[in-house]
Amino acid sequence: MLDDRQGFTRSFDPNCTHIPFEVFVTDRILHCSIRMVSRPVPLSELVPMACQLSQVIIEATSRRIEESDGRIACRKGCAACCSYLIPISPAEAYHLRDEIFKLPQLEQKTLFRSCQHTTRQLVDHRIPDILFSPTQEHEERLEILSDWYKVMNLPCPFLVNHACCLYDSRPLACREYFVTSHPSLCRPESTEKATRVPMPLRIAEVLAETCRILEDGETSILLPLLPSFLQDNSRRSWALYPAEQVVSTFLETLNDYTQRNCMSGCDESAK
Ligand code: SF4
Ligand code: SF4
């Protein structure tokens, strides 16, 4: 990866618009490239590329599962998992805003009303104090928060007539959650745990960290709080950054996550 990383740096030539990079996924190297425009960009423009990259990794992971006789249960229209807590990065929030405004007015209103309803329920249900304990690790906090949300049994505000109303633009957290067990195990009331497929690299996390570095702000927003976040951060959501800065930050973060995953994978296999 270090050699590849030097490769990216060398290709930051103002005349070069294709930035090649490689991603190590499971036992394969995926050769990719980013087409970089020569103008300042909003962070929302990172999202389609991040979704494509995520899709490439999901497909490579799924192929590997299928080669070992596993079967991915997730399909469009299956929505038993759409009552879980969905964190999105600021870039995804800005991108979703643009996608929501393409919906018919009535659907936009329903969606915003549904977000307001869920937000009220969140405010009424006190967050467990243990979440603020300094002894809790980040992963444990996420699990407590997720369990707290699950008991409220709140359908996602984007779920309209049992289907995601923005399926093609759904958040990375939704795309990168997929299972090999029966969909009934994904229901919040199921006592048996679903068999989640471990992603070798979560682009949702890479994008969230890229936003944290570029904006020097929070990394994640809860999906139902999207309208209030956009209202409170209107100027920030339209901020422009040099494309080189955005692409290099994304690729450096991707590289850091790949190396970190690689190291924890090596530790696991050494156990
Ligand atoms: S995670 Fe479960 S409920 Fe969601 S799409 Fe996959 S099988 Fe269906
Ligand atoms: S955004 Fe769409 S896919 Fe994700 S939880 Fe909500 S309804 Fe389901």
Side-chain angles (χ1 to χ4, degrees), residues 82 86 156 158-159 164 170-171 174 223:
C82 294
I86 305 295
C156 175
F158 287 64
L159 199 60
C164 180
R170 68 196 186 287
C174 306
L223 184 59

Side-chain angles (χ1 to χ4, degrees), residues 73-75 78-82 177-179 181-187 194:
C74 304
R75 296 285 175 273
C78 183
C81 58
C82 294
Y177 182 92
F178 56 113
V179 300
S181 47
H182 193 272
S184 60
L185 301 192
C186 303
R187 296 188 189 285

Side-chain angles (χ1 to χ4, degrees), residues 113-142:
R113 223 176 288 133
S114 183
C115 284
Q116 268 175 359
H117 171 76
T118 308
T119 305
R120 270 198 297 273
Q121 305 271 325
L122 294 182
V123 172
D124 289 348
H125 280 78
R126 206 177 126 93
I127 291 184
D129 289 339
I130 191 165
L131 202 70
F132 304 107
S133 159
T135 58
Q136 293 292 337
E137 296 289 337
H138 180 67
E139 283 299 314
E140 290 171 336
R141 281 204 180 114
L142 275 183

